[in-house]
């Protein structure tokens, strides 16, 4: 692992809004916090949803997410703790463990299940939904399980550890790249008092979600289990944050698609007609 010097920024983005998230349940009763919802689709284009789950009570997660469909976007599941097995209708299957990522392109349609493979202990993770460009929504489904050791990592001179899941940061290329949406997905671990900077294109929408401790972005404190939407400032070339205590967070940025977004549950398309088609295809077994 390399120790690197981080970006010297001309100007950092600040915080536009803090989002608390809404407690809800999904699948067969899994308790989770929906941090990014439909209301933020335009503001955080190309990101559609962020769910955070974390509990040491098996009743909160044990039933998992039995068979359900997706069409028109990508799901990125990052396991922070615990084990989750996924299976899809095409026969693909994999086990996600602590630190692993599953990157799934639903494209024209996938039916899968996501079921905890543990009966007790802590289950913690986040699932992000990333939109697909109109001309990619009906692409062939694709997925990749990325084992924890395959995720590029670097450490700064301030002892900040950064895992680069997607895009690139401070010259380190991540595990996944995407042309249309250029997502950057970082998991950042900071000791108390340390600062971290990375470049983010001014054209991209960006946010952080703090899952341990707290950080400051400019003058704004972002506490644990809060999302901060970063301001879109033409002159800002990145973001700098400082840990007020030991902290862990994910930082996500992407290039907006600027296309119409129509969502009905697990289907996200560009028009109402395409949603009706998705429902019809699903009911009539055309996802298989
Ligand atoms: Co799913």
């Amino acid at each position: 692992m390399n120790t690197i010097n981080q970006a010297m920024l001309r100007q950092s983005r600040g915080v536009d809004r803090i989002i608390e998230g809404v407690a809800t349940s999904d699948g067969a009763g899994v308790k989770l916090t929906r941090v990014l919802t439909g209301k933020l689709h335009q503001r955080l284009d190309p990101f559609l949803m962020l769910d955070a789950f974390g509990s040491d009570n098996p009743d909160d997660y044990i039933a998992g997410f039995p068979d359900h469909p997706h069409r028109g976007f990508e799901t990125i599941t990052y396991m922070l703790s615990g084990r989750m097995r996924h299976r899809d209708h095409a026969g693909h299957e994999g086990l996600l463990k602590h630190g692993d990522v599953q990157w799934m392109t639903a494209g024209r349609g996938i039916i899968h299940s996501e079921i905890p493979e543990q009966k007790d202990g802590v289950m913690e993770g986040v699932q992000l939904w990333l939109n697909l460009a109109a001309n990619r929504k009906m692409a062939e489904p694709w997925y990749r399980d990325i084992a924890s050791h395959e995720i590029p990592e670097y450490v700064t001179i301030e002892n900040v550890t950064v895992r680069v899941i997607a895009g690139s940061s401070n010259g380190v290329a991540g595990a996944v790249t995407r042309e249309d949406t250029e997502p950057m997905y970082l998991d950042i671990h900071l000791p108390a008092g340390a600062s971290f900077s990375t470049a983010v294109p001014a054209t991209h929408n960006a946010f952080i979600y703090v899952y341990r401790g707290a950080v400051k972005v400019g003058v704004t404190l972002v506490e644990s289990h809060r999302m901060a939407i970063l301001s879109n400032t033409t002159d800002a070339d990145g973001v700098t944050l400082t840990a007020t205590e030991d902290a862990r967070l994910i930082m996500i940025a992407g290039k907006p698609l600027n296309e119409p977004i129509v969502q009905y549950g697990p289907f996200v398309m560009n028009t109402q007609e395409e949603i009706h088609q998705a429902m019809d295809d699903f009911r009539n077994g055309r996802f298989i």
Side-chain angles (χ1 to χ4, degrees):
M1 204 180 314
N2 298 324
T3 301
I4 61 122
N5 289 310
Q6 54 196 343
M8 292 289 289
L9 299 180
R10 191 172 61 236
Q11 186 188 330
S12 171
R13 294 184 185 215
V15 172
D16 184 12
R17 278 169 74 182
I18 301 276
I19 306 284
E20 223 174 282
V22 180
T24 184
S25 72
D26 208 338
V30 177
K31 283 192 184 161
L32 50 83
T33 303
R34 188 144 292 164
V35 186
L36 196 175
T37 65
K39 287 179 215 160
L40 294 170
H41 278 172
Q42 299 299 335
R43 176 63 185 83
L44 289 177
D45 180 8
F47 303 104
L48 300 166
M49 199 187 77
L50 182 74
D51 280 348
F53 49 94
S55 177
D56 58 4
N57 177 359
D59 293 344
D60 291 344
Y61 61 73
I62 202 76
F65 303 88
D67 278 349
H68 60 277
H70 296 282
R71 172 180 280 185
F73 56 96
E74 305 189 87
T75 69
I76 300 131
T77 308
Y78 184 28
M79 289 302 288
L80 297 168
S81 189
R83 297 186 308 281
M84 182 99 87
R85 182 168 295 276
H86 64 87
R87 286 191 177 91
D88 72 21
H89 66 281
H92 302 120
E93 177 174 343
L95 180 65
L96 290 184
K97 303 178 300 298
H98 174 93
D100 295 350
V101 168
Q102 188 208 35
W103 196 293
M104 184 186 86
T105 306
R108 66 179 175 77
I110 198 157
I111 301 167
H112 74 159
S113 61
E114 300 157 288
I115 305 287
E117 195 157 281
Q118 63 189 52
K119 293 195 164 43
D120 50 33
V122 178
M123 166 78 66
E124 184 180 18
V126 281
Q127 187 174 84
L128 177 73
W129 288 11
L130 168 61
N131 210 353
L132 286 168
N135 64 3
R136 295 267 304 138
K137 282 185 176 291
M138 295 299 276
E140 281 301 301
W142 176 92
Y143 84 91
R144 181 178 159 200
D145 283 351
I146 307 163
S148 185
H149 68 86
E150 296 176 299
I151 297 171
E153 227 175 83
Y154 66 85
V155 179
T156 72
I157 48 171
E158 294 194 46
N159 214 22
V160 177
T161 300
V162 182
R163 313 189 77 216
V164 189
I165 294 166
S168 73
S169 168
N170 289 312
V172 177
V176 174
T177 54
R178 282 287 179 273
E179 279 181 18
D180 296 322
T181 47
E182 299 177 14
M184 180 182 81
Y185 191 148
L186 310 179
D187 179 20
I188 307 168
H189 303 180
L190 304 98
S195 288
F196 170 76
S197 295
T198 192
V200 179
T203 46
H204 292 196
N205 289 324
F207 64 91
I208 61 171
Y209 176 73
V210 178
Y211 63 91
R212 291 282 188 289
V215 297
K216 263 189 163 180
V217 182
V219 294
T220 309
L221 182 68
V222 188
E223 293 177 292
S224 189
H225 300 107
R226 298 286 183 277
M227 171 196 209
I229 299 178
L230 302 177
S231 55
N232 291 36
T233 310
T234 317
D235 292 335
D237 52 349
V239 58
T240 298
L241 46 84
T242 304
T244 55
E245 53 190 286
D246 289 354
R248 295 185 174 204
L249 63 129
I250 53 174
M251 180 184 291
I252 290 166
K255 184 180 166 191
L257 289 166
N258 294 313
E259 294 175 343
I261 300 165
V262 184
Q263 175 174 15
Y264 181 78
F267 309 130
V268 183
M269 304 300 290
N270 301 111
T271 67
Q272 203 62 52
E273 289 69 32
E274 290 167 340
I275 291 293
H276 289 142
Q277 187 65 53
M279 290 162 71
D280 195 58
D281 286 350
F282 176 57
R283 285 201 198 104
N284 292 294
R286 287 192 291 266
F287 271 37
I288 299 181

